[in-house]
Amino acid sequence: MVQHDALDRVFACLADPVRRGVLIKLGDGPATVGELAGPAEMTLTGMKKHLRILEDAGLIVTEKIGRARQCRLAPAPLDEAMAWISFYQRLWTRRLDGLDAYFTLRKGDDA
C-alpha cells in the first residue's frame, strides 16, 4: 500500500502545472526558490508551498546553502511512475494487438 501512496503523491504533483514547471526547470540543474518563483510569477511563500509538496512526494531535494535554499531533482519517484506507466502501456499494447489479430481473422473468415 505504501508504494501506491507514493505513486499517488507523484501523480498528484504532476497534475499541477506549477509543479510540472518546477520539475522542468530543475531538469536544467539546481535552482534557488527565488529562481523558481520568478518565472512562475509567484511569491516566495507560494512557491515554498509547492516545493514542500514536491519534496514530500520525494521528487525534489532542498538544502540550505548560505542564505538561499537550493532545490534539485530526485528522479527515483519519477522512475517508479514511469515503470508503472510502461507496465500498463505494454499491457494495453498486447490487448490491442490481440484485438487487431481477432478482427484480421474475422475479416478473412468473411471473405
Side-chain angles (χ1 to χ4, degrees), residues 4 10-11 17 26 28-29 34 42 44 49 54 64-65 68-69 72 74-75 88-89 93 99 101 107 109:
H4 293 293
V10 168
F11 283 121
L26 293 177
D28 294 334
M42 185 174 288
L44 291 177
K49 289 179 182 180
L54 287 164
K64 189 158 178 128
I65 299 178
R69 183 152 292 281
R72 62 182 167 79
Y88 284 99
Q89 181 181 26
T93 298
L99 188 60
K107 186 177 179 182
D109 290 344

Side-chain angles (χ1 to χ4, degrees), residues 7-109:
L7 198 56
D8 290 346
R9 284 194 305 272
V10 168
F11 283 121
C13 285
L14 295 176
D16 185 277
V18 172
R19 292 190 278 262
R20 285 193 311 269
V22 167
L23 294 175
I24 290 167
K25 172 77 172 140
L26 293 177
D28 294 334
T32 65
V33 175
E35 292 169 338
L36 295 169
E41 297 180 1
M42 185 174 288
T43 65
L44 291 177
T45 303
M47 181 53 71
K48 285 178 185 177
K49 289 179 182 180
H50 284 285
L51 296 176
R52 187 173 27 253
I53 293 167
L54 287 164
E55 195 168 23
D56 288 346
L59 292 169
I60 66 167
V61 175
T62 63
E63 69 176 308
K64 189 158 178 128
I65 299 178
R67 293 182 52 178
R69 183 152 292 281
Q70 191 171 52
C71 308
R72 62 182 167 79
L73 282 179
L78 285 176
D79 292 341
E80 292 170 16
M82 198 58 214
W84 186 88
I85 291 168
S86 294
F87 170 80
Y88 284 99
Q89 181 181 26
R90 288 188 306 274
L91 176 79
W92 281 104
T93 298
R94 282 193 309 269
R95 288 183 178 183
L96 291 172
D97 287 347
L99 188 60
D100 183 51
Y102 170 77
F103 283 122
T104 299
L105 287 173
R106 289 280 305 197
K107 186 177 179 182
D109 290 344

